[in-house]
């Protein structure tokens, strides 16, 4: 029966690749660790060369690449910096010229995912033709390679190690199941280190042509994913050894491999990095162990009944008794992690992460339905040896395997979709604009920088960076594309050197026109104009 199972599996895998490829193209590309504050401010004008640059992120990061591009296009690597928690203080190189400079950065966040961006500032006067907009270029070959490697790793960890655990603790040991499980683990032993190199490529913004370079591999292992990969390699090695052992040695080795599988998946990724990690990391590990127990049972059970093994009924009976004790914690842990990551029910259909979760939930419904039917209607007749029940059970197991493979493919897409809890941090970041004329200079910050209720903070100076004791400031906002405005708000001075406007509501996302009326100390008015981008 194994040739038929192989052909069927090949067709399922082809369908999985097509489906997941579509999902891969539909995901968001938001950064996981997001830049909150920079010094100098993005788009700022400074009178003289700064002594240092400061980047503050929303969560702990590790710097990968820091470069400064001069007005003439030459670039210098910034390798002198001090890290204080989520803040990087970077020493500025000497002899910076007048004009617009671009500080490019690429870091890796606490959950193991790389993120990059730019900060544009000018010394003395701006250079013509330089934009502050940073455009992320997606390298689809690297992204596809990351997804493919992750799919193989999931199959190796859950089906391979789960199968070794099942055969050593419950039964259903057969040569065909062992060969398939060992083959999956061997594939995983290749995919894990290769996936680390893909992580390094993504972290450095490199292409597949850079794969042989040592710095790529070092960078991949330096991220939190590097630790997860080492744990996964240890788990796979133990799982492979467990297939060749029997008795207490095989049981202990397969149990250790199962535990390490949970630890590997909890060491890196969105879910394990979410606070509080004392809760989320154990939940990820428990969820992974439950998946391995369930998924790992399918191949040994299917091959045992296909070969009419004498211990097939015994293995099925043991599995049906133990399965609820694995599935219930699996479901509870998954629900807990989903609640932490989503933060709101609306995020299910308003974010790419939520949409992937909805697809996974839609696949879990028939999967759990098949499991219930197997448990209630097919287990007892199959244990009695009824041929019709055994045939239906084998078909049901194949269907479960197909659904699980598709779920693995969908879950691998989460590598590219930041969870809503991260997007909430992004949404809380202020939007800012720097407006500079010979008469006056304004730094405007709107917080949060998204549509809805906001407040504005305004810092004003003279065009020569001196103090400006204005008698009054009026903020004017309009969104011509949406037919809004102009709307005028007088600013107040709370006494901290800034001007504020509270109680604002920006009903529409998009590019807003900014006007600033400043009444100088001599009563002479100054008008400044600019644009600011408001997020949805």
């Amino acid at each position: 029966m194994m040739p038929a199972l192989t052909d069927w599996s090949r067709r399922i895998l082809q369908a999985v690749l097509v489906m997941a490829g579509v999902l891969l193209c539909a995901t968001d590309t938001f950064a996981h660790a997001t830049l909150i504050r920079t010094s100098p401010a993005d788009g700022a004008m400074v009178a003289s060369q700064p002594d240092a640059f400061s980047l503050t992120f929303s969560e702990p990061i590790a710097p990968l690449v820091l470069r400064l591009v001069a007005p003439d296009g030459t670039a210098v690597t910034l390798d002198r910096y001090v890290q204080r928690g989520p803040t990087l203080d970077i020493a500025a190189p000497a002899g910076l010229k007048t004009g617009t400079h671009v500080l490019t950065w690429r870091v890796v966040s606490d959950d193991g995912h790389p993120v990059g961006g730019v900060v544009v500032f000018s010394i003395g006067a701006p250079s013509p033709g330089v934009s502050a907009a940073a455009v992320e270029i997606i390298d689809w070959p690297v992204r596809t390679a990351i997804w493919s490697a992750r799919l193989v790793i999931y199959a190796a960890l859950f089906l391979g190690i789960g199968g070794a655990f099942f055969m050593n603790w419950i039964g259903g040991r057969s040569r065909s199941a062992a060969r398939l499980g060992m083959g999956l683990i061997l594939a995983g032993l290749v995919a894990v280190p290769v996936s680390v190199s893909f992580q390094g490529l993504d972290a450095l913004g490199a292409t597949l042509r850079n794969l042989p370079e040592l710095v790529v591999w070092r960078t991949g292992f330096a991220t939190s994913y590097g630790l997860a990969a080492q744990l996964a390699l240890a788990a796979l090695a133990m799982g492979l050894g467990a297939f060749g052992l029997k008795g207490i040695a095989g049981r202990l080795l397969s149990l250790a491999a199962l535990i390490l599988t949970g630890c590997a998946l909890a060491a890196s990724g969105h879910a394990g990095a979410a606070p509080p990690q004392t809760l989320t990391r154990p939940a990820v590990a428990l969820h992974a162990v439950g998946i391995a127990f369930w998924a790992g049972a399918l191949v040994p059970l299917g091959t045992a009944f296909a070969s009419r093994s004498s211990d097939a009924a015994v293995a099925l009976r043991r599995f049906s008794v133990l399965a609820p004790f694995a599935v219930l914690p699996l479901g509870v842990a998954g629900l807990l992690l989903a609640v932490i990551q989503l933060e709101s029910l609306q995020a299910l259909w308003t974010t790419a992460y939520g949409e992937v979760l909805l697809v996974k939930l839609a696949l879990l419904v028939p999967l759990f339905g098949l499991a219930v039917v197997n448990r209630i209607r097919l287990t007892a007749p199959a244990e009695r040896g009824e041929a019709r029940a055994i045939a239906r059970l084998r078909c049901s197991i194949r269907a479960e395997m197909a659904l699980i493979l598709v779920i693995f493919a969908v879950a691998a897409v989460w590598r590219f979709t930041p969870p809503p809890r991260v997007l909430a941090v992004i949404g809380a970041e202020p939007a800012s604009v720097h407006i500079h004329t010979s008469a006056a200079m304004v730094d405007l910050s709107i917080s949060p920088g998204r549509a809805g209720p906001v407040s504005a903070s305004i810092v004003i100076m003279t065009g020569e960076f001196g103090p400006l004791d204005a008698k009054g400031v009026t903020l004017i906002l309009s969104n011509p594309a949406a037919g809004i405005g102009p709307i005028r708000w007088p600013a107040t001075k709370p006494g901290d050197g800034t001007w504020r406007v509270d109680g604002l509501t920006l009903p529409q996302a998009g590019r807003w026109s900014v006007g600033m009326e400043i009444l100088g100390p001599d009563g002479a008015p100054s008008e400044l104009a600019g644009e600011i981008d408001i997020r949805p």
Side-chain angles (χ1 to χ4, degrees):
M1 293 301 295
M2 284 308 294
L5 180 61
T6 302
D7 294 340
W8 168 83
S9 301
R10 186 181 299 111
R11 291 194 295 270
I12 292 298
L13 282 174
Q14 290 171 349
V16 167
L17 289 172
V18 172
M19 173 184 172
V22 173
L23 283 170
L24 200 63
C25 295
T27 58
D28 281 340
T29 57
F30 282 100
H32 296 201
T34 55
L35 186 63
I36 290 181
R37 186 172 63 256
T38 65
S39 179
D42 193 16
M45 179 85 66
V46 295
S48 58
Q49 172 177 322
D51 296 325
F53 312 110
S54 180
L55 301 177
T56 299
F57 296 83
S58 60
E59 58 186 74
I61 54 89
L64 294 172
V65 180
L66 302 168
R67 292 192 181 96
L68 186 65
V69 181
D72 60 3
T74 59
V76 59
T77 299
L78 305 176
D79 53 8
R80 294 187 299 138
Y81 56 84
V82 175
Q83 185 169 359
R84 297 178 289 104
T87 299
L88 282 178
D89 292 326
I90 309 163
L96 296 183
K97 300 177 181 179
T98 299
T100 300
H101 298 255
V102 180
L103 172 62
T104 68
W105 51 268
R106 195 158 182 87
V107 300
V108 62
S109 60
D110 193 42
D111 61 8
H113 296 105
V115 56
V118 301
V119 178
V120 179
F121 67 96
S122 299
I123 300 176
S127 302
V130 178
S131 171
V135 179
E136 181 182 1
I137 300 175
I138 299 175
D139 190 326
W140 288 110
V142 171
R143 175 165 288 199
T144 304
I146 292 172
W147 174 83
S148 301
R150 185 153 297 205
L151 179 58
V152 173
I153 292 169
Y154 284 164
L157 291 175
F158 296 134
L159 297 177
I161 291 177
F165 180 85
F166 183 90
M167 284 188 281
N168 276 282
W169 286 86
I170 297 177
R173 183 181 288 271
S174 69
R175 288 185 178 180
S176 56
R179 283 198 299 267
L180 181 57
M182 293 172 68
L184 288 172
I185 289 179
L186 289 172
L189 287 170
V190 174
V192 168
V194 171
S195 71
V196 175
S197 68
F198 294 156
Q199 175 81 0
L201 290 175
D202 195 28
L204 295 172
T207 66
L208 290 176
R209 291 192 301 269
N210 304 108
L211 192 63
E213 297 176 11
L214 186 59
V215 66
V216 170
W217 295 78
R218 286 178 176 172
T219 301
F221 275 106
T223 67
S224 63
Y225 186 76
L227 173 61
Q230 294 176 57
L231 293 173
L233 286 173
L236 291 170
M238 291 181 180
L240 188 64
F243 275 111
L245 298 174
K246 295 182 180 180
I248 189 64
R251 290 187 175 187
L252 291 178
L253 203 58
S254 63
L255 177 61
L258 189 69
I259 294 173
L260 276 178
T261 295
C263 294
L265 293 174
S268 180
H270 299 302
Q277 294 185 9
T278 53
L279 179 63
T280 55
R281 291 198 188 277
V284 172
L286 187 62
H287 191 67
V289 168
I291 295 172
F293 179 85
W294 184 358
L298 298 179
V299 172
L301 281 176
T303 55
F305 278 105
S307 61
R308 292 178 171 79
S309 172
S310 59
D311 65 344
V314 175
L316 177 62
R317 186 181 306 113
R318 291 174 179 173
F319 175 72
S320 64
V321 171
L322 295 175
F325 296 98
V327 173
L328 182 59
L330 182 158
V332 171
L335 179 62
L336 172 66
L337 294 169
V339 169
I340 292 175
Q341 298 287 54
L342 289 175
E343 293 190 337
S344 69
L345 184 62
Q346 187 180 13
L348 268 175
W349 55 85
T350 58
T351 65
Y353 184 95
E355 291 169 355
V356 174
L357 179 58
L358 282 176
V359 174
K360 181 181 176 183
L361 292 175
L363 294 168
L364 285 173
V365 170
L367 182 63
F368 280 112
L370 287 172
V372 171
V373 171
N374 292 348
R375 180 71 173 80
I376 296 176
R377 301 189 59 181
L378 299 180
T379 297
E383 290 175 358
R384 293 193 297 267
E386 296 182 12
R388 183 177 180 183
I390 291 175
R392 292 180 61 187
L393 183 62
R394 288 169 53 196
C395 291
S396 180
I397 289 174
R398 290 182 176 183
E400 284 188 56
M401 287 184 63
L403 286 169
I404 284 176
L405 286 173
V406 177
I407 289 172
F408 289 170
V410 172
V413 177
W414 265 330
R415 166 61 174 77
F416 314 103
T417 57
R421 66 174 180 84
V422 174
L423 299 181
V425 176
I426 297 174
E429 296 176 22
S432 60
V433 62
H434 177 83
I435 309 172
H436 196 169
T437 68
S438 59
M441 180 173 59
V442 169
D443 281 317
L444 169 65
S445 178
I446 295 179
S447 182
R450 62 175 186 266
V454 297
S455 61
S457 176
I458 306 166
V459 177
I460 60 173
M461 290 180 286
T462 67
E464 291 77 29
F465 301 90
L468 178 57
D469 186 17
K471 290 184 177 180
V473 174
T474 301
L475 173 63
I476 307 170
L477 291 174
S478 64
N479 190 331
I484 301 174
I487 307 173
R488 301 169 60 92
W489 288 280
T492 60
K493 197 171 184 179
D496 58 357
T498 66
W499 293 79
R500 289 192 60 83
V501 178
D502 296 313
L504 299 178
T505 298
L506 302 182
Q508 183 83 22
R511 177 156 292 185
W512 286 68
S513 296
V514 176
M516 198 75 61
E517 291 183 357
I518 302 174
L519 191 62
D522 57 356
S526 299
E527 295 185 4
L528 292 84
E531 292 182 330
I532 191 168
D533 290 319
I534 301 299
R535 297 183 299 273

